[in-house]
Amino acid sequence: MALPISYNLRNLRQRPAATAMTALGIALTVMIALFILELLSGLNQAFVTTGDPLNVLVMRKGSDAELTSLVTHGQFSILKTLPGVARDARGRPMAVGELMVVIVLPRRDGTGDVNVSVRGTSAMGRELRPGIHLVAGRWFRPGQREVVVSRSVRRRFAHVALGEKIRFGKGEWRVVGVFDAGNSAHSSEIWADVNTMEADFGRPVFSSVLLRATSPVAAQDLIEAASGDQRLELSGELEPDYYASQTRSGAPIRAIGILVSVIMAIGSCFAAMNTMYAAVAYRAREIATLRILGFSRPSILLSFVIESVLLSLLGGLAGVLLAWPLSGLSTGTSNAVTFSEVVFHLQLTPALVVTALGFATLMGLIGGLAPAWHASRQEILTALRS
Amino acid sequence: MTLTQFAARNAFRNHRRSLLTMMSIGFSLLLLTLLMVVWQAFYVSQGTPASALRIATRNRVSLTFTLPIYYLEKIQALPGVEAVAPMDWVGGTYKNDKPQNFFAQYATDPVRVFQVFPDWKIDPRQKRNWQRDRQGAAVSSNLARQHGWKIGDSIYLQKNIYPTDLNLRIDAIYTPGSGWDGVLIHRKYLSDGVSYLKGKVGILVTRVAAPDDVARVTRDIDAMFKNAPAPTRSESERAFQLSFLAALGNIKAFILGISAAVVFTILLVSGNTMAMSIRERTREVAVLKTLGFTRRAILTLFIGEGVTLAMTGGILGTLGAQGLVTAVAASPAGAMLSGLKLTPPVFLLSVTVAAMVGFVSTFLPSWNASRLDIVEGLRYIG
């Protein structure tokens, strides 16, 4: 017969100081692990939710980023007349050539100057991305040195508020509007008129071309048409796939996170083991009494393992509560593909909470096994006499 | 037996508990030491003496924009400048996109590069061979070891940033300075295939005569090109390399945050252990008091035990950190993170932190123990 869980719960309450301190140590470990997971989850979210599945992104063959790709105006003319390109309400082909440039802006929190992407696009570019809408000011006018910034960029960087002027290219550009791009990667961008940018940078070429297909089948046809033509030396892919590949920007964070979490977890396991051994020693006579009453060795073992797991779950819950306020915080890191800053929000999901609690349980299991084994194996008579 | 011996023996009385406490503190301190090593490498160390003489100049607007190549001669003519070399990030793809096949490639002037980087080591004959071979590549010893390259091997770089594939022959293996691990190729070979690169350069690296010249020359370069079509931004080599790290995020806050959490955890663990140990020995404390040990002696005894335990764990953790740092330096990732070293100051700081944490965490339980009423103590049943 197994020992009731209430026995374990009451024992944890018996020595509140020791329980609290061990649980707190585990809580800190869980909190740090959860912080890293929230970072990665938010970063992932920024990329995974970007892109319309009917949009096809065409870049130069061999380029893995818009920044390093070149598409000429001539190629654009060919692409926009391909069969399968959708037309808007006015009958115009839904195709836009865009220019990507990277400029340097100071972060508002003073942690340095970093790269920010500027996308030269047109009104058609907005049509192809219906998830983006204006929240202040107005869109830039064609031919004018005007830019619109995303909400996140405005929050994160200095000198980009409405009405301020940014300096790049051949002079100054005025911020005339703020847009909201939700969780997508466009939240890290500044937009301007592509023709004005081309003139300013002396680059009469596009970085990429975005096409809207009439259907998923047409999208695949467009990809083949763009990639297959030998003269063009272009390659196409679905827009969501392009952004999904940028999740590898999280690789350094993930590596550091794993290292830190594992080391702290090992430290916490030893601490939990210590506490449990002390508990076993403290209750030696009690365990012997339980054995005399008829509880089997396995049931003692199980009981102590459960007690250790309960202790660490307590710590895990505390860790989740500590990491909760971090969710929603906005931060930025370097996008490995666009070479500029990607702004994202830390995100705590139910799945992450479960992972954190699982992590805590694992620590409790590992930490509690040896002491529990020791408890179940002790000789009854020597224990009674201690 | 002296008091110290008594304290030391008692610290390790309960073998299992002492071991577990030391392991727990050890691992936490390992992490803390690693964080300190990283902090030191990024924010404190000034780099090698040779690196302190170098300035990196790029287009002010963006790293992705070029500078006209004639800037090189103008910078060379400034007082205090010893040598200038162009360095262009090639960014070609080797085999595929996998991270283990990623490495830096720089297109440079094969003669000037060793004038600006005299701290890079290269065999003179290999250097000459590479300088004469337009299609040649000089590879770092780290990369050669990682990919199994030998002199005479070919490397094929597929086009990525620049629309040209590069077919290279390894002529030399060299040892670069910190942060410059990669493959060197001739600028001319790259611009042969990329017409719009002729007359343009990405980054210019300048070596000055003395460390005092750095600030002045940095200012002079940027002032010279302030109103030119391509204004420049110059900074010391160290600042330039750190700027890529700054892009990863608020590293300082991250390190400080984790350090705080680690120190707090050690406090908890150490305090917990001490409290458990003291509670067990209540009767013993009472006996010590009847023997005539003063309150202060008892306090010192227990604090001494706590500090001994914490410091031992600390030393173990620091040694573990040294092992990790050595392992990382030998791995492929080590090439990118070169400059990580466990210096004596860091070691001392680490052990001091351990000792201090041991002190603080055991103070309260020891204080309580020292103020124990003798009769209550003798009566205590665990």
Side-chain angles (χ1 to χ4, degrees), chain A residues 21-22 28 60 102 104 107 113 201 263-264 267 274 277-278 333-334, chain B residues 16 21 24 27 31 61-62 65 160 233 246-248 265 272-273 276:
Chain A
M21 291 212 268
T22 314
L28 284 171
R60 190 186 64 199
V102 162
V104 174
R107 283 203 195 119
D113 298 354
F201 289 113
I263 296 181
M264 285 206 76
N274 214 3
Y277 267 118
T333 189
S334 180
Chain B
R16 188 191 291 130
T21 308
S24 189
F27 270 95
L31 189 57
V61 169
S62 165
F65 286 1
N160 186 9
R233 181 196 180 92
L248 269 183
T265 309
N272 199 13
T273 304
M276 282 196 280

PDB file of all heavy atoms in Angstrom, chain A residues 21-22 28 60 102 104 107 113 201 263-264 267 274 277-278 333-334, chain B residues 16 21 24 27 31 61-62 65 160 233 246-248 265 272-273 276:
ATOM      1  N   MET A  21      13.880  27.393   1.213  1.00  0.00           N
ATOM      2  CA  MET A  21      15.161  27.731   0.578  1.00  0.00           C
ATOM      3  C   MET A  21      15.455  26.848  -0.631  1.00  0.00           C
ATOM      4  O   MET A  21      15.909  27.331  -1.668  1.00  0.00           O
ATOM      5  CB  MET A  21      16.286  27.631   1.617  1.00  0.00           C
ATOM      6  CG  MET A  21      16.181  28.715   2.669  1.00  0.00           C
ATOM      7  SD  MET A  21      17.753  29.255   3.296  1.00  0.00           S
ATOM      8  CE  MET A  21      17.931  28.175   4.676  1.00  0.00           C
ATOM      9  N   THR A  22      15.195  25.554  -0.484  1.00  0.00           N
ATOM     10  CA  THR A  22      15.451  24.666  -1.622  1.00  0.00           C
ATOM     11  C   THR A  22      14.523  25.013  -2.785  1.00  0.00           C
ATOM     12  O   THR A  22      14.948  25.080  -3.944  1.00  0.00           O
ATOM     13  CB  THR A  22      15.244  23.195  -1.223  1.00  0.00           C
ATOM     14  OG1 THR A  22      15.889  22.967   0.021  1.00  0.00           O
ATOM     15  CG2 THR A  22      15.803  22.270  -2.271  1.00  0.00           C
ATOM     16  N   LEU A  28      14.623  29.816  -8.981  1.00  0.00           N
ATOM     17  CA  LEU A  28      15.530  30.674  -9.750  1.00  0.00           C
ATOM     18  C   LEU A  28      16.001  29.977 -11.017  1.00  0.00           C
ATOM     19  O   LEU A  28      16.045  30.578 -12.086  1.00  0.00           O
ATOM     20  CB  LEU A  28      16.731  31.067  -8.892  1.00  0.00           C
ATOM     21  CG  LEU A  28      16.456  32.144  -7.838  1.00  0.00           C
ATOM     22  CD1 LEU A  28      17.639  32.298  -6.925  1.00  0.00           C
ATOM     23  CD2 LEU A  28      16.132  33.458  -8.510  1.00  0.00           C
ATOM     24  N   ARG A  60      17.532  36.926 -56.364  1.00  0.00           N
ATOM     25  CA  ARG A  60      18.562  36.405 -57.253  1.00  0.00           C
ATOM     26  C   ARG A  60      18.931  34.999 -56.806  1.00  0.00           C
ATOM     27  O   ARG A  60      18.966  34.688 -55.613  1.00  0.00           O
ATOM     28  CB  ARG A  60      19.799  37.313 -57.180  1.00  0.00           C
ATOM     29  CG  ARG A  60      20.819  36.990 -58.241  1.00  0.00           C
ATOM     30  CD  ARG A  60      22.057  37.794 -58.060  1.00  0.00           C
ATOM     31  NE  ARG A  60      22.693  37.443 -56.793  1.00  0.00           N
ATOM     32  CZ  ARG A  60      23.574  38.197 -56.182  1.00  0.00           C
ATOM     33  NH1 ARG A  60      23.902  39.349 -56.724  1.00  0.00           N
ATOM     34  NH2 ARG A  60      24.105  37.826 -55.053  1.00  0.00           N
ATOM     35  N   VAL A 102      20.194  48.728 -45.196  1.00  0.00           N
ATOM     36  CA  VAL A 102      20.339  48.666 -43.743  1.00  0.00           C
ATOM     37  C   VAL A 102      20.973  49.964 -43.264  1.00  0.00           C
ATOM     38  O   VAL A 102      21.971  50.399 -43.817  1.00  0.00           O
ATOM     39  CB  VAL A 102      21.237  47.461 -43.365  1.00  0.00           C
ATOM     40  CG1 VAL A 102      21.775  47.608 -41.969  1.00  0.00           C
ATOM     41  CG2 VAL A 102      20.437  46.182 -43.466  1.00  0.00           C
ATOM     42  N   VAL A 104      21.943  52.580 -39.638  1.00  0.00           N
ATOM     43  CA  VAL A 104      22.313  52.429 -38.233  1.00  0.00           C
ATOM     44  C   VAL A 104      21.531  53.425 -37.390  1.00  0.00           C
ATOM     45  O   VAL A 104      21.494  54.620 -37.700  1.00  0.00           O
ATOM     46  CB  VAL A 104      23.827  52.693 -38.048  1.00  0.00           C
ATOM     47  CG1 VAL A 104      24.189  52.682 -36.584  1.00  0.00           C
ATOM     48  CG2 VAL A 104      24.611  51.648 -38.797  1.00  0.00           C
ATOM     49  N   ARG A 107      19.857  52.654 -30.176  1.00  0.00           N
ATOM     50  CA  ARG A 107      18.762  52.122 -29.366  1.00  0.00           C
ATOM     51  C   ARG A 107      18.398  53.165 -28.314  1.00  0.00           C
ATOM     52  O   ARG A 107      19.251  53.850 -27.770  1.00  0.00           O
ATOM     53  CB  ARG A 107      19.204  50.838 -28.650  1.00  0.00           C
ATOM     54  CG  ARG A 107      19.238  49.619 -29.541  1.00  0.00           C
ATOM     55  CD  ARG A 107      19.127  48.368 -28.676  1.00  0.00           C
ATOM     56  NE  ARG A 107      19.503  47.168 -29.411  1.00  0.00           N
ATOM     57  CZ  ARG A 107      20.520  46.364 -29.081  1.00  0.00           C
ATOM     58  NH1 ARG A 107      21.266  46.623 -28.045  1.00  0.00           N
ATOM     59  NH2 ARG A 107      20.769  45.284 -29.797  1.00  0.00           N
ATOM     60  N   ASP A 113      24.429  51.409 -31.003  1.00  0.00           N
ATOM     61  CA  ASP A 113      23.846  51.639 -32.320  1.00  0.00           C
ATOM     62  C   ASP A 113      23.775  50.309 -33.049  1.00  0.00           C
ATOM     63  O   ASP A 113      24.768  49.579 -33.108  1.00  0.00           O
ATOM     64  CB  ASP A 113      24.738  52.583 -33.133  1.00  0.00           C
ATOM     65  CG  ASP A 113      24.864  53.944 -32.482  1.00  0.00           C
ATOM     66  OD1 ASP A 113      24.165  54.183 -31.476  1.00  0.00           O
ATOM     67  OD2 ASP A 113      25.657  54.742 -32.975  1.00  0.00           O
ATOM     68  N   PHE A 201      20.214  56.240 -53.346  1.00  0.00           N
ATOM     69  CA  PHE A 201      21.367  55.357 -53.186  1.00  0.00           C
ATOM     70  C   PHE A 201      22.061  55.069 -54.495  1.00  0.00           C
ATOM     71  O   PHE A 201      23.035  54.330 -54.525  1.00  0.00           O
ATOM     72  CB  PHE A 201      20.938  54.036 -52.536  1.00  0.00           C
ATOM     73  CG  PHE A 201      20.578  54.190 -51.095  1.00  0.00           C
ATOM     74  CD1 PHE A 201      19.276  54.015 -50.666  1.00  0.00           C
ATOM     75  CD2 PHE A 201      21.541  54.528 -50.180  1.00  0.00           C
ATOM     76  CE1 PHE A 201      18.947  54.174 -49.331  1.00  0.00           C
ATOM     77  CE2 PHE A 201      21.218  54.686 -48.841  1.00  0.00           C
ATOM     78  CZ  PHE A 201      19.917  54.507 -48.420  1.00  0.00           C
ATOM     79  N   ILE A 263      23.748  23.970 -16.306  1.00  0.00           N
ATOM     80  CA  ILE A 263      24.651  24.130 -15.163  1.00  0.00           C
ATOM     81  C   ILE A 263      23.866  24.446 -13.898  1.00  0.00           C
ATOM     82  O   ILE A 263      24.087  23.866 -12.835  1.00  0.00           O
ATOM     83  CB  ILE A 263      25.693  25.237 -15.440  1.00  0.00           C
ATOM     84  CG1 ILE A 263      26.578  24.830 -16.606  1.00  0.00           C
ATOM     85  CG2 ILE A 263      26.553  25.461 -14.207  1.00  0.00           C
ATOM     86  CD1 ILE A 263      27.635  25.844 -16.943  1.00  0.00           C
ATOM     87  N   MET A 264      22.933  25.371 -14.016  1.00  0.00           N
ATOM     88  CA  MET A 264      22.151  25.717 -12.826  1.00  0.00           C
ATOM     89  C   MET A 264      21.296  24.544 -12.369  1.00  0.00           C
ATOM     90  O   MET A 264      21.100  24.350 -11.172  1.00  0.00           O
ATOM     91  CB  MET A 264      21.261  26.931 -13.122  1.00  0.00           C
ATOM     92  CG  MET A 264      22.043  28.223 -13.155  1.00  0.00           C
ATOM     93  SD  MET A 264      21.029  29.647 -12.751  1.00  0.00           S
ATOM     94  CE  MET A 264      20.887  29.484 -10.997  1.00  0.00           C
ATOM     95  N   GLY A 267      23.370  22.196 -10.340  1.00  0.00           N
ATOM     96  CA  GLY A 267      23.560  22.764  -9.009  1.00  0.00           C
ATOM     97  C   GLY A 267      22.318  22.577  -8.156  1.00  0.00           C
ATOM     98  O   GLY A 267      22.392  22.205  -6.975  1.00  0.00           O
ATOM     99  N   ASN A 274      20.655  17.269  -1.208  1.00  0.00           N
ATOM    100  CA  ASN A 274      21.119  17.602   0.131  1.00  0.00           C
ATOM    101  C   ASN A 274      19.952  17.716   1.099  1.00  0.00           C
ATOM    102  O   ASN A 274      19.945  17.144   2.193  1.00  0.00           O
ATOM    103  CB  ASN A 274      21.889  18.934   0.066  1.00  0.00           C
ATOM    104  CG  ASN A 274      23.020  18.964   1.038  1.00  0.00           C
ATOM    105  OD1 ASN A 274      23.290  17.996   1.723  1.00  0.00           O
ATOM    106  ND2 ASN A 274      23.682  20.104   1.106  1.00  0.00           N
ATOM    107  N   TYR A 277      18.349  14.287   1.736  1.00  0.00           N
ATOM    108  CA  TYR A 277      19.158  13.451   2.624  1.00  0.00           C
ATOM    109  C   TYR A 277      18.987  13.892   4.069  1.00  0.00           C
ATOM    110  O   TYR A 277      18.886  13.079   4.983  1.00  0.00           O
ATOM    111  CB  TYR A 277      20.643  13.525   2.241  1.00  0.00           C
ATOM    112  CG  TYR A 277      21.076  12.437   1.295  1.00  0.00           C
ATOM    113  CD1 TYR A 277      21.556  12.741   0.035  1.00  0.00           C
ATOM    114  CD2 TYR A 277      21.003  11.085   1.667  1.00  0.00           C
ATOM    115  CE1 TYR A 277      21.949  11.746  -0.838  1.00  0.00           C
ATOM    116  CE2 TYR A 277      21.387  10.095   0.796  1.00  0.00           C
ATOM    117  CZ  TYR A 277      21.864  10.425  -0.453  1.00  0.00           C
ATOM    118  OH  TYR A 277      22.251   9.439  -1.317  1.00  0.00           O
ATOM    119  N   ALA A 278      18.976  15.208   4.263  1.00  0.00           N
ATOM    120  CA  ALA A 278      18.785  15.717   5.620  1.00  0.00           C
ATOM    121  C   ALA A 278      17.417  15.305   6.145  1.00  0.00           C
ATOM    122  O   ALA A 278      17.268  14.911   7.306  1.00  0.00           O
ATOM    123  CB  ALA A 278      18.925  17.240   5.626  1.00  0.00           C
ATOM    124  N   THR A 333      17.177  41.461 -31.145  1.00  0.00           N
ATOM    125  CA  THR A 333      18.456  40.796 -31.323  1.00  0.00           C
ATOM    126  C   THR A 333      18.813  40.840 -32.795  1.00  0.00           C
ATOM    127  O   THR A 333      18.048  41.330 -33.606  1.00  0.00           O
ATOM    128  CB  THR A 333      18.420  39.350 -30.796  1.00  0.00           C
ATOM    129  OG1 THR A 333      19.758  38.846 -30.812  1.00  0.00           O
ATOM    130  CG2 THR A 333      17.577  38.476 -31.690  1.00  0.00           C
ATOM    131  N   SER A 334      19.990  40.353 -33.110  1.00  0.00           N
ATOM    132  CA  SER A 334      20.460  40.465 -34.475  1.00  0.00           C
ATOM    133  C   SER A 334      19.894  39.345 -35.329  1.00  0.00           C
ATOM    134  O   SER A 334      20.033  38.178 -35.013  1.00  0.00           O
ATOM    135  CB  SER A 334      21.989  40.408 -34.468  1.00  0.00           C
ATOM    136  OG  SER A 334      22.463  40.509 -35.767  1.00  0.00           O
TER     137      SER A 334
ATOM    138  N   ARG B  16      28.770  13.066   3.089  1.00  0.00           N
ATOM    139  CA  ARG B  16      27.817  13.199   1.996  1.00  0.00           C
ATOM    140  C   ARG B  16      27.309  14.623   1.900  1.00  0.00           C
ATOM    141  O   ARG B  16      27.254  15.214   0.831  1.00  0.00           O
ATOM    142  CB  ARG B  16      26.653  12.244   2.207  1.00  0.00           C
ATOM    143  CG  ARG B  16      25.734  12.190   1.008  1.00  0.00           C
ATOM    144  CD  ARG B  16      24.470  11.464   1.311  1.00  0.00           C
ATOM    145  NE  ARG B  16      24.692  10.043   1.511  1.00  0.00           N
ATOM    146  CZ  ARG B  16      24.231   9.355   2.560  1.00  0.00           C
ATOM    147  NH1 ARG B  16      23.542   9.964   3.498  1.00  0.00           N
ATOM    148  NH2 ARG B  16      24.465   8.065   2.669  1.00  0.00           N
ATOM    149  N   THR B  21      26.976  19.755  -0.805  1.00  0.00           N
ATOM    150  CA  THR B  21      26.992  21.211  -0.720  1.00  0.00           C
ATOM    151  C   THR B  21      28.083  21.782  -1.609  1.00  0.00           C
ATOM    152  O   THR B  21      27.862  22.754  -2.344  1.00  0.00           O
ATOM    153  CB  THR B  21      27.245  21.660   0.736  1.00  0.00           C
ATOM    154  OG1 THR B  21      26.323  20.994   1.582  1.00  0.00           O
ATOM    155  CG2 THR B  21      27.082  23.156   0.872  1.00  0.00           C
ATOM    156  N   SER B  24      27.073  21.581  -5.221  1.00  0.00           N
ATOM    157  CA  SER B  24      26.054  22.552  -5.568  1.00  0.00           C
ATOM    158  C   SER B  24      26.661  23.943  -5.711  1.00  0.00           C
ATOM    159  O   SER B  24      26.432  24.641  -6.694  1.00  0.00           O
ATOM    160  CB  SER B  24      24.963  22.548  -4.489  1.00  0.00           C
ATOM    161  OG  SER B  24      23.883  23.314  -4.903  1.00  0.00           O
ATOM    162  N   PHE B  27      28.992  24.071  -8.883  1.00  0.00           N
ATOM    163  CA  PHE B  27      28.363  24.279 -10.180  1.00  0.00           C
ATOM    164  C   PHE B  27      27.873  25.705 -10.342  1.00  0.00           C
ATOM    165  O   PHE B  27      28.006  26.318 -11.403  1.00  0.00           O
ATOM    166  CB  PHE B  27      27.203  23.298 -10.385  1.00  0.00           C
ATOM    167  CG  PHE B  27      27.648  22.034 -11.035  1.00  0.00           C
ATOM    168  CD1 PHE B  27      27.980  20.929 -10.276  1.00  0.00           C
ATOM    169  CD2 PHE B  27      27.767  21.952 -12.408  1.00  0.00           C
ATOM    170  CE1 PHE B  27      28.418  19.758 -10.875  1.00  0.00           C
ATOM    171  CE2 PHE B  27      28.203  20.791 -13.021  1.00  0.00           C
ATOM    172  CZ  PHE B  27      28.529  19.695 -12.246  1.00  0.00           C
ATOM    173  N   LEU B  31      29.289  28.567 -13.181  1.00  0.00           N
ATOM    174  CA  LEU B  31      28.527  29.460 -14.036  1.00  0.00           C
ATOM    175  C   LEU B  31      28.944  30.906 -13.821  1.00  0.00           C
ATOM    176  O   LEU B  31      29.170  31.664 -14.769  1.00  0.00           O
ATOM    177  CB  LEU B  31      27.029  29.293 -13.751  1.00  0.00           C
ATOM    178  CG  LEU B  31      26.082  29.995 -14.701  1.00  0.00           C
ATOM    179  CD1 LEU B  31      26.333  29.544 -16.117  1.00  0.00           C
ATOM    180  CD2 LEU B  31      24.658  29.700 -14.315  1.00  0.00           C
ATOM    181  N   VAL B  61      26.800  55.284 -42.883  1.00  0.00           N
ATOM    182  CA  VAL B  61      25.387  54.940 -42.972  1.00  0.00           C
ATOM    183  C   VAL B  61      25.148  53.470 -42.693  1.00  0.00           C
ATOM    184  O   VAL B  61      24.262  53.100 -41.947  1.00  0.00           O
ATOM    185  CB  VAL B  61      24.846  55.301 -44.360  1.00  0.00           C
ATOM    186  CG1 VAL B  61      23.472  54.698 -44.553  1.00  0.00           C
ATOM    187  CG2 VAL B  61      24.821  56.792 -44.538  1.00  0.00           C
ATOM    188  N   SER B  62      25.944  52.635 -43.307  1.00  0.00           N
ATOM    189  CA  SER B  62      25.666  51.218 -43.156  1.00  0.00           C
ATOM    190  C   SER B  62      26.884  50.388 -43.495  1.00  0.00           C
ATOM    191  O   SER B  62      27.656  50.725 -44.376  1.00  0.00           O
ATOM    192  CB  SER B  62      24.521  50.831 -44.083  1.00  0.00           C
ATOM    193  OG  SER B  62      24.462  49.431 -44.211  1.00  0.00           O
ATOM    194  N   PHE B  65      27.261  49.345 -47.097  1.00  0.00           N
ATOM    195  CA  PHE B  65      27.638  50.275 -48.160  1.00  0.00           C
ATOM    196  C   PHE B  65      29.146  50.342 -48.278  1.00  0.00           C
ATOM    197  O   PHE B  65      29.865  50.123 -47.316  1.00  0.00           O
ATOM    198  CB  PHE B  65      27.099  51.675 -47.859  1.00  0.00           C
ATOM    199  CG  PHE B  65      25.621  51.793 -48.060  1.00  0.00           C
ATOM    200  CD1 PHE B  65      24.871  50.703 -48.452  1.00  0.00           C
ATOM    201  CD2 PHE B  65      24.981  52.993 -47.862  1.00  0.00           C
ATOM    202  CE1 PHE B  65      23.506  50.804 -48.624  1.00  0.00           C
ATOM    203  CE2 PHE B  65      23.620  53.108 -48.044  1.00  0.00           C
ATOM    204  CZ  PHE B  65      22.894  52.019 -48.417  1.00  0.00           C
ATOM    205  N   ASN B 160      27.081  34.454 -52.965  1.00  0.00           N
ATOM    206  CA  ASN B 160      26.025  34.799 -52.030  1.00  0.00           C
ATOM    207  C   ASN B 160      25.801  36.310 -52.076  1.00  0.00           C
ATOM    208  O   ASN B 160      24.896  36.796 -52.716  1.00  0.00           O
ATOM    209  CB  ASN B 160      26.385  34.318 -50.625  1.00  0.00           C
ATOM    210  CG  ASN B 160      25.233  34.526 -49.662  1.00  0.00           C
ATOM    211  OD1 ASN B 160      24.131  34.864 -50.062  1.00  0.00           O
ATOM    212  ND2 ASN B 160      25.488  34.324 -48.390  1.00  0.00           N
ATOM    213  N   ARG B 233      32.725  56.227 -40.593  1.00  0.00           N
ATOM    214  CA  ARG B 233      32.618  56.048 -39.161  1.00  0.00           C
ATOM    215  C   ARG B 233      33.816  55.197 -38.760  1.00  0.00           C
ATOM    216  O   ARG B 233      33.941  54.057 -39.187  1.00  0.00           O
ATOM    217  CB  ARG B 233      31.326  55.324 -38.830  1.00  0.00           C
ATOM    218  CG  ARG B 233      31.115  55.110 -37.355  1.00  0.00           C
ATOM    219  CD  ARG B 233      30.046  54.056 -37.208  1.00  0.00           C
ATOM    220  NE  ARG B 233      29.759  53.762 -35.824  1.00  0.00           N
ATOM    221  CZ  ARG B 233      28.812  54.382 -35.124  1.00  0.00           C
ATOM    222  NH1 ARG B 233      28.069  55.292 -35.681  1.00  0.00           N
ATOM    223  NH2 ARG B 233      28.599  54.071 -33.863  1.00  0.00           N
ATOM    224  N   ALA B 246      27.061  43.732 -29.524  1.00  0.00           N
ATOM    225  CA  ALA B 246      25.979  44.562 -29.000  1.00  0.00           C
ATOM    226  C   ALA B 246      24.692  44.232 -29.732  1.00  0.00           C
ATOM    227  O   ALA B 246      23.603  44.356 -29.176  1.00  0.00           O
ATOM    228  CB  ALA B 246      26.316  46.040 -29.181  1.00  0.00           C
ATOM    229  N   ALA B 247      24.832  43.793 -30.989  1.00  0.00           N
ATOM    230  CA  ALA B 247      23.646  43.482 -31.775  1.00  0.00           C
ATOM    231  C   ALA B 247      22.891  42.285 -31.229  1.00  0.00           C
ATOM    232  O   ALA B 247      21.706  42.125 -31.493  1.00  0.00           O
ATOM    233  CB  ALA B 247      24.043  43.224 -33.223  1.00  0.00           C
ATOM    234  N   LEU B 248      23.580  41.437 -30.453  1.00  0.00           N
ATOM    235  CA  LEU B 248      22.891  40.253 -29.938  1.00  0.00           C
ATOM    236  C   LEU B 248      21.841  40.625 -28.910  1.00  0.00           C
ATOM    237  O   LEU B 248      20.940  39.862 -28.627  1.00  0.00           O
ATOM    238  CB  LEU B 248      23.888  39.303 -29.270  1.00  0.00           C
ATOM    239  CG  LEU B 248      24.496  38.242 -30.164  1.00  0.00           C
ATOM    240  CD1 LEU B 248      25.389  37.334 -29.353  1.00  0.00           C
ATOM    241  CD2 LEU B 248      23.423  37.407 -30.840  1.00  0.00           C
ATOM    242  N   THR B 265      21.380  32.019  -5.323  1.00  0.00           N
ATOM    243  CA  THR B 265      21.195  30.580  -5.175  1.00  0.00           C
ATOM    244  C   THR B 265      22.259  29.994  -4.254  1.00  0.00           C
ATOM    245  O   THR B 265      21.969  29.164  -3.387  1.00  0.00           O
ATOM    246  CB  THR B 265      21.271  29.873  -6.544  1.00  0.00           C
ATOM    247  OG1 THR B 265      20.401  30.540  -7.436  1.00  0.00           O
ATOM    248  CG2 THR B 265      20.875  28.426  -6.421  1.00  0.00           C
ATOM    249  N   ASN B 272      21.253  27.024   3.889  1.00  0.00           N
ATOM    250  CA  ASN B 272      20.429  25.866   4.199  1.00  0.00           C
ATOM    251  C   ASN B 272      21.258  24.761   4.849  1.00  0.00           C
ATOM    252  O   ASN B 272      20.904  24.214   5.888  1.00  0.00           O
ATOM    253  CB  ASN B 272      19.800  25.366   2.891  1.00  0.00           C
ATOM    254  CG  ASN B 272      18.611  24.488   3.150  1.00  0.00           C
ATOM    255  OD1 ASN B 272      18.101  24.444   4.265  1.00  0.00           O
ATOM    256  ND2 ASN B 272      18.175  23.779   2.135  1.00  0.00           N
ATOM    257  N   THR B 273      22.390  24.479   4.205  1.00  0.00           N
ATOM    258  CA  THR B 273      23.256  23.418   4.724  1.00  0.00           C
ATOM    259  C   THR B 273      23.740  23.735   6.126  1.00  0.00           C
ATOM    260  O   THR B 273      23.703  22.898   7.021  1.00  0.00           O
ATOM    261  CB  THR B 273      24.491  23.270   3.818  1.00  0.00           C
ATOM    262  OG1 THR B 273      24.054  23.033   2.503  1.00  0.00           O
ATOM    263  CG2 THR B 273      25.370  22.163   4.302  1.00  0.00           C
ATOM    264  N   MET B 276      21.044  23.332   8.704  1.00  0.00           N
ATOM    265  CA  MET B 276      20.785  21.916   8.996  1.00  0.00           C
ATOM    266  C   MET B 276      21.874  21.363   9.892  1.00  0.00           C
ATOM    267  O   MET B 276      21.613  20.689  10.893  1.00  0.00           O
ATOM    268  CB  MET B 276      20.780  21.116   7.682  1.00  0.00           C
ATOM    269  CG  MET B 276      19.518  21.255   6.906  1.00  0.00           C
ATOM    270  SD  MET B 276      19.382  19.954   5.660  1.00  0.00           S
ATOM    271  CE  MET B 276      20.428  20.574   4.390  1.00  0.00           C
TER     272      MET B 276
END
